[in-house]
Amino acid sequence: MTPTEIAAPAAPVRGARVRPSGKPNGQWLVDGTAPLNANEEWKQVDDGLNVRARIENDYAQGGFASIDPTDLHGRFRWWGLYTQRKPGIDGGRTATLEPHELEDEYFMLRVRIDGGQLTTEQLRVIGGISTEFARDTADLTDRQNIQLHWVRVEDVPEIWRRLEGVGLSTTEACGDVPRVVLGSPVAGIAADELIDPTPQIDEITSRFIGDPSLANLPRKFKSAITGHPSQDVVHEINDVAFVAVDHPEHGVGYDVWVGGALSTVPRLGERLGAWAAPDQVAAVWHGVASIFRDYGYRRLRNKARLKFLLADWGVERFREVLETEYLGYRLADGPAAPKPATPGDHVGVHRQKDGRFYIGATPIVGRVSGARLTALADLVEAHGSTRVRTTPHQKFVVLDVPEDRVESLIARLDALELSARPSLIRRGTIACTGIEYCKLAIVNTKDTARAAILELEERLDGLDLSAPLSVHVNGCPNSCARIQTADIGLKGQIITDDEGNQVPGFQVHLGGGLASSERAEAGLGRTVRGLKVTADGIADYVELLATRYVAGRAGDETFAQWAHRVDEAELR
């Protein structure tokens, strides 16, 4: 019997469910679809996908002042557009000003890169758009996208034309929709890959991205799929994720995870205990997304993520609803994937299954530029390749490099400030957009993290860390840089320094991490009451922790294990 035939009951008739006592949560199949807040109301008035026509036909001609406010602050996100922060507004005013007071008349534009897969032609087009329309800005995100800034609405139609001419888009790159599907950066080429997830990613994106039936979810919906044993897609913090595993009866398929997300109320995803065959993945993905649409909480925005529904339902009920109401058959029970044996950032030189090599290189905290993207495309082609991947760790991976061109490529990548042999501190540091462009941010992240890295590379030179020290720098509490899952997570806020001044600083989270070659299971970092560091004190604090760790670790104890074991006094 094939996996799709396992104990398949008839699909039941779906209909309204009985709501428990208490206030309605806006669950469509429990409470009905009447909107319970203004955000849900405008989403029902007009599909967010429909704003594209107005951008192309009206707003691009009329300019920023012509944009309807609901489109500007709502539906534009469905096409990857957010207004960026007006320069000169300090972080202390972030929470006191209205969105229209914080925003500039320019946009952040997010280019959607499912699976992180790019050709050099696509990379060159993004670089050209950045140079011509975005003041040469470009940031790699930790969700495999590329973000541009200083974009004018007048230029958006031409930007879309160029992107779509090479098979890229910004469709549903933001908004209450299925966001980019994370995929293994070494899909299809790694010698130790269990399965190439590219067909599953392609099926999901071709069938469901831009589908109006999924264009009004309670909030964002994040996905990840990997066929690599390093588990390289941060699956534990996605709404739905598929991790390759070799089933003892059915062969290689995917272990299914649901309900992960961080932000201000972090919750790690959970295994359903179900195994999905490759030809079941798209249906399971669609079933989980549909559960979120139909049962997700919509009354309060801060409760409108799948993790809250899973917390209330539990894994057993979630799986039962998925199988009986949405799939119409039971999934096979399946084992968990083993602990990763190799790092999932893919930095360095690695042999492919065809004998050529892939090379992972890191910029400093994801900050690049249009000119650098164009130069990278030229460089890759000059070394015999046409394929590049982005990663969930703000890295690039260059594929298909002949053995005799490896060292030449590495040297020229260094000239672009893309290091294939970075220091452990550079390799492990990521940062969100920060106050430079983000309306939610309180502190600067990119420049602050860069300065700290360059300082620490000198101070920690020769220190035996043995593994990358992950330092994640976030500009606000929302954890776009995954602060709770880093060795050292820094959450931006205004703090009081030793002289009593209000200055940019960070609350500290210590000892977090996702499944990796250093740890078998994900875990959240600990916080120490009152422990905060100033923005200009990051290098001092990281140096203090690193030297204390090296001096006090027990055997092969990791930094995370040490940080959870020692007394608070050791962490101050």
Side-chain angles (χ1 to χ4, degrees):
M1 176 160 72
T2 66
T4 55
E5 295 170 336
I6 294 172
V13 177
R14 293 165 52 200
R17 306 301 190 270
V18 177
R19 176 170 58 83
S21 60
K23 290 184 177 179
N25 281 315
Q27 297 172 278
W28 280 1
L29 285 188
V30 176
D31 305 306
T33 59
L36 298 181
N37 59 51
N39 199 77
E40 288 298 309
E41 184 174 353
W42 64 251
K43 286 198 293 181
Q44 289 195 25
V45 167
D46 187 35
D47 190 324
L49 293 170
N50 293 338
V51 80
R52 173 161 179 159
R54 292 193 288 277
I55 293 172
E56 293 178 317
N57 300 323
D58 301 324
Y59 303 143
Q61 284 72 44
F64 188 87
S66 71
I67 304 172
D68 174 82
T70 304
D71 283 347
L72 180 66
H73 300 124
R75 300 183 187 96
F76 267 47
R77 290 175 287 169
W78 272 239
W79 290 96
L81 291 158
Y82 281 103
T83 51
Q84 67 186 38
R85 188 187 188 94
K86 188 180 298 181
I89 301 176
D90 66 72
R93 301 177 66 195
T94 296
T96 65
L97 298 178
E98 295 296 322
H100 70 275
E101 297 175 294
L102 284 166
E103 69 191 5
D104 209 346
E105 295 187 359
Y106 297 92
F107 293 89
M108 178 276 288
L109 178 69
R110 182 175 296 158
V111 181
R112 181 182 183 124
I113 307 172
D114 292 283
Q117 299 192 16
L118 286 170
T119 65
T120 48
E121 179 187 25
Q122 291 172 326
L123 189 63
R124 187 176 289 108
V125 166
I126 297 172
I129 290 170
S130 167
T131 303
E132 187 171 346
F133 300 113
R135 301 190 187 181
D136 203 34
T137 58
D139 288 334
L140 291 180
T141 77
D142 58 7
R143 293 198 65 79
Q144 296 183 284
N145 297 312
I146 295 177
Q147 291 182 175
L148 309 178
H149 299 279
W150 298 108
V151 171
R152 304 184 315 145
V153 71
E154 292 90 337
D155 297 323
V156 170
E158 175 61 16
I159 292 172
W160 280 338
R161 187 190 69 79
R162 296 190 191 184
L163 289 173
E164 291 166 4
V166 292
L168 294 171
S169 81
T170 68
T171 309
E172 297 185 333
C174 313
D176 297 351
V177 291
R179 304 284 186 91
V180 66
V181 181
L182 297 187
S184 171
V186 295
I189 58 100
D192 54 347
E193 181 179 59
L194 292 173
I195 187 173
D196 180 359
T198 304
Q200 285 77 62
I201 295 173
D202 289 347
E203 183 178 2
I204 290 169
T205 55
S206 64
R207 289 177 60 187
F208 303 123
I209 302 309
D211 178 356
S213 72
L214 293 176
N216 181 0
L217 302 179
R219 278 193 68 190
K220 55 191 168 186
F221 182 77
K222 296 183 176 182
S223 314
I225 308 177
T226 183
H228 196 266
S230 66
Q231 300 174 25
D232 49 5
V233 292
V234 297
H235 61 278
E236 305 99 325
I237 55 173
N238 282 266
D239 294 285
V240 64
F242 302 85
V243 179
V245 64
D246 192 353
H247 194 287
E249 296 178 40
H250 305 300
V252 176
Y254 298 92
D255 186 30
V256 183
W257 290 66
V258 296
L262 294 178
S263 192
T264 55
V265 184
R267 192 178 197 279
L268 296 172
E270 296 186 56
R271 297 181 58 241
L272 282 186
W275 178 89
D279 64 357
Q280 293 175 316
V281 166
V284 173
W285 182 95
H286 185 260
V288 176
S290 299
I291 288 175
F292 185 41
R293 176 195 62 204
D294 297 341
Y295 287 104
Y297 302 147
R298 294 174 181 263
R299 183 171 66 88
L300 300 175
R301 290 284 288 176
N302 62 358
K303 296 289 186 181
R305 290 296 302 275
L306 188 65
K307 62 184 176 182
F308 294 104
L309 180 67
L310 180 68
D312 288 346
W313 275 13
V315 168
E316 290 184 5
R317 181 182 176 190
F318 194 101
R319 180 175 174 180
E320 179 185 7
V321 172
L322 172 65
E323 292 173 335
T324 59
E325 295 189 25
Y326 293 86
L327 294 179
Y329 56 81
R330 283 197 56 81
L331 295 165
D333 293 336
K339 174 187 173 183
T342 57
D345 63 3
H346 302 296
V347 169
V349 180
H350 310 267
R351 187 178 292 275
Q352 298 180 179
K353 63 177 65 174
D354 64 2
R356 292 179 291 180
F357 289 81
Y358 65 88
I359 300 173
T362 179
I364 298 181
V365 295
R367 173 59 51 85
V368 284
S369 68
R372 201 177 303 175
L373 295 179
T374 301
L376 176 60
D378 294 340
L379 177 61
V380 170
E381 289 179 356
H383 285 76
S385 175
T386 59
R387 295 198 293 171
V388 176
R389 302 273 171 87
T390 56
T391 85
H393 303 278
Q394 296 182 339
K395 311 288 190 279
F396 280 118
V397 179
V398 180
L399 310 186
D400 307 328
V401 182
E403 185 169 6
D404 62 353
R405 310 304 303 278
V406 167
E407 291 303 324
S408 171
L409 179 61
I410 289 173
R412 286 163 176 76
L413 285 170
D414 277 335
L416 293 178
E417 211 173 65
L418 300 171
S419 178
R421 295 178 177 127
S423 68
L424 294 179
I425 191 70
R426 184 180 300 202
R427 179 173 178 173
T429 302
I430 67 173
C432 73
T433 301
I435 200 171
E436 187 175 6
Y437 300 116
C438 179
K439 299 190 298 294
L440 300 178
I442 301 167
V443 302
N444 182 291
T445 54
K446 296 287 191 184
D447 295 333
T448 300
R450 177 187 176 89
I453 287 171
L454 297 177
E455 182 72 20
L456 285 163
E457 285 181 329
E458 293 186 12
R459 296 191 193 183
L460 301 182
D461 185 34
L463 187 69
D464 180 21
L465 285 173
S466 74
L469 187 65
S470 59
V471 181
H472 292 190
V473 185
N474 213 79
C476 77
N478 288 323
S479 201
C480 294
R482 310 196 296 253
I483 52 176
Q484 300 98 333
T485 59
D487 289 323
I488 303 171
L490 301 172
K491 180 175 73 175
Q493 54 187 227
I494 301 299
I495 67 172
T496 304
D497 67 12
D498 293 339
E499 284 73 43
N501 301 309
Q502 295 289 291
V503 298
F506 298 89
Q507 183 188 55
V508 180
H509 297 253
L510 295 169
L514 302 176
S516 69
S517 55
E518 301 297 315
R519 61 189 300 158
E521 295 182 352
L524 301 176
R526 67 183 287 194
T527 57
V528 177
R529 185 180 298 275
L531 177 56
K532 300 174 183 178
V533 297
T534 60
D536 60 7
I538 290 176
D540 291 337
Y541 181 65
V542 174
E543 180 186 20
L544 175 72
L545 284 182
T547 52
R548 285 182 177 174
Y549 159 63
V550 170
R553 63 188 170 193
D556 60 356
E557 189 175 38
T558 66
F559 179 89
Q561 290 169 334
W562 172 83
H564 279 282
R565 174 178 62 82
V566 299
D567 293 337
E568 290 187 359
E570 281 288 289
L571 304 175
R572 294 183 181 275

